[in-house]
Amino acid sequence: MSLCSKLLALLRKSRALTTTSTAAAAAATASATASANGMEEAVAAAGPLRTRVCIIGSGPAAHTAAVYAARAELKPVLFEGWLANDIAAGGQLTTTTDVENFPGFPDGVLGAELMDRCRAQSLRFGTKILTETVTSVDFSARPFRVASDDTVVHADSVVVATGAVARRLHFAGSDAFWNRGISACAVCDGAAPIFRNKPIAVIGGGDSAMEEANFLTKYGSQVYIIHRRNAFRASKIMQARALSNPKIKVVWDSEVVEAYGGGEGGPLAGVKVKNVVTGEVSDLQVAGLFFAIGHEPATKFLGGQLELDSDGYVVTKPGSTHTSVKGVFAAGDVQDKKYRQAITAAGSGCMAALDAEHYLQEVGAQEGKTD
């Protein structure tokens, strides 16, 4: 065979191998695609998840409810959300640093670490946690329907523990000094060493602002209430308490336009305050700035299916976590506009789980119905 003939034979053999390889690759791709489609179809065919208790939330109330429900063998499913209300799973505690008033931690604990521990405890007892945000619910029929973009859960009972988000103001430096002098919870943070015997400012004009300003006088050398109007909207009795306190001074018709520090990487050192009438900007040296302009409960996803009060909080029957719909319970800050503490939220989460368990016993759903 000539050299040319040999080269031609090798070329034909190479083309044959390439064709075979390409065909095999195409077959493998088709097989993988079919397998993936089959898995998706299998998931779809499986239908909604079924549970005795579905918990919506990721803070102390939600995880306490989950621990109690799981230990009662109710096999709870918990939606912890994916950046729900622009906050990571774990709720508002994930936005704080040291938590010093939660029992069991004499040296304090980081807010994020506390919530990691709560989550781990929920998992330990068998809670199924979905990192998805609930977008809709249907409480008009049994079982109740709770849905995210990816998952539908049918539940015999539901615990709503979605919390409430503190309203914040945004101005130059407000994000940079968040948790470094700027806070939205005087009760949580006011006793911190960085505020003791130093001037502090509170922004707001309602009852919450009056209450927090009076509370902060226990620790600060002077407390300023900065209000953008020339009169408070707080109740007369709360105004009287604040205005009669010698350590409180009111800065009327003003708003904060900037927060600044005393050195690179240091905490808050002061704020610039603008008079909304004259336009004059003045400097106010303070070690702390507290937003007291209210909270927004995370209840919009409920679509009006539960009774809410005038501020949007879920209404519960006194002394319980029962809502206006039998079998649906509410715990934590989503139904508490007064205390708003991690420990009170955890306590109401326990109440919600026990209320749900008793409800399921009453309707006969606890035995064999959802296994």
Side-chain angles (χ1 to χ4, degrees):
M1 183 181 290
S2 67
L3 180 59
C4 290
S5 298
K6 290 181 179 180
L7 289 173
L8 183 60
L10 287 172
L11 181 59
R12 287 172 177 169
K13 186 176 181 180
S14 174
R15 286 176 178 173
L17 288 172
T18 301
T19 301
T20 302
S21 177
T22 302
T29 301
S31 176
T33 301
S35 177
N37 289 338
M39 290 179 65
E40 291 177 0
E41 290 172 1
V43 171
L49 292 177
R50 196 69 169 82
T51 182
R52 294 165 184 170
V53 181
C54 180
I55 301 166
I56 311 171
S58 63
H63 282 297
T64 303
V67 168
Y68 273 77
R71 283 172 55 81
E73 299 184 353
L74 298 178
K75 302 176 183 178
V77 173
L78 183 149
F79 282 95
E80 68 177 355
W82 174 254
L83 291 179
N85 304 305
D86 297 322
I87 296 178
Q92 288 200 93
L93 280 179
T94 62
T95 70
T96 66
T97 51
D98 291 331
V99 177
E100 298 181 325
N101 56 2
F102 199 91
F105 297 92
D107 298 321
V109 60
L110 293 176
E113 180 186 350
L114 176 59
M115 293 320 305
D116 285 345
R117 288 170 175 252
C118 289
R119 189 179 192 275
Q121 193 169 3
S122 293
L123 289 170
R124 176 194 169 195
F125 291 110
T127 301
K128 181 178 181 63
I129 297 179
L130 303 176
T131 309
E132 303 169 18
T133 300
V134 171
T135 54
S136 66
V137 295
D138 184 357
F139 298 149
S140 64
R142 270 68 169 177
F144 301 122
R145 183 180 186 275
V146 181
S148 68
D149 288 338
D150 300 318
T151 306
V152 174
V153 172
H154 286 174
D156 295 314
S157 62
V158 174
V159 175
V160 178
T162 44
V165 180
R167 295 190 180 101
R168 291 170 58 176
L169 296 174
H170 296 280
F171 45 78
S174 63
D175 291 334
F177 291 100
W178 181 253
N179 284 330
R180 292 171 50 210
I182 298 180
S183 171
C185 183
V187 175
C188 309
D189 302 326
I194 63 171
F195 303 129
R196 289 182 179 270
N197 300 313
K198 295 178 182 178
I200 302 170
V202 174
I203 298 177
D207 282 354
S208 292
M210 305 300 110
E211 184 175 2
E212 297 213 347
N214 272 300
F215 175 81
L216 290 168
T217 59
K218 299 177 183 179
Y219 308 106
S221 59
Q222 177 89 55
V223 177
Y224 299 94
I225 300 178
I226 302 172
H227 188 46
R228 58 184 176 178
R229 298 187 176 90
N230 60 4
F232 291 135
R233 66 180 183 278
S235 60
K236 296 299 182 183
I237 188 171
M238 294 301 293
Q239 290 189 48
R241 289 176 184 172
L243 294 173
S244 63
N245 192 316
K247 294 182 72 174
I248 293 178
K249 180 179 179 180
V250 182
V251 183
W252 299 106
D253 295 317
S254 298
E255 61 184 11
V256 175
V257 293
E258 183 182 345
Y260 61 87
E264 186 175 349
L268 181 74
V271 294
K272 293 189 181 298
V273 180
K274 179 181 178 181
N275 186 293
V276 297
V277 177
T278 66
E280 179 184 356
V281 177
S282 58
D283 187 77
L284 188 63
Q285 294 186 354
V286 292
L289 178 66
F290 290 83
F291 297 145
I293 54 176
H295 290 69
E296 184 173 349
T299 54
K300 291 180 180 178
F301 74 98
L302 295 172
Q305 297 182 67
L306 295 181
E307 181 185 354
L308 308 178
D309 69 10
S310 58
D311 295 317
Y313 289 82
V314 176
V315 174
T316 53
K317 295 179 181 178
S320 78
T321 61
H322 291 266
T323 69
S324 57
V325 175
K326 194 169 184 179
V328 179
F329 309 89
D333 291 6
V334 75
Q335 53 85 54
D336 172 24
K337 64 169 70 174
K338 182 177 181 180
Y339 299 106
R340 293 194 295 260
Q341 298 298 302
I343 191 64
T344 54
S348 67
C350 165
M351 292 170 59
L354 294 176
D355 284 345
E357 183 180 5
H358 295 158
Y359 164 77
L360 292 172
Q361 290 173 342
E362 289 175 5
V363 299
Q366 192 173 9
E367 291 298 328
K369 185 175 179 181
T370 58
D371 288 334

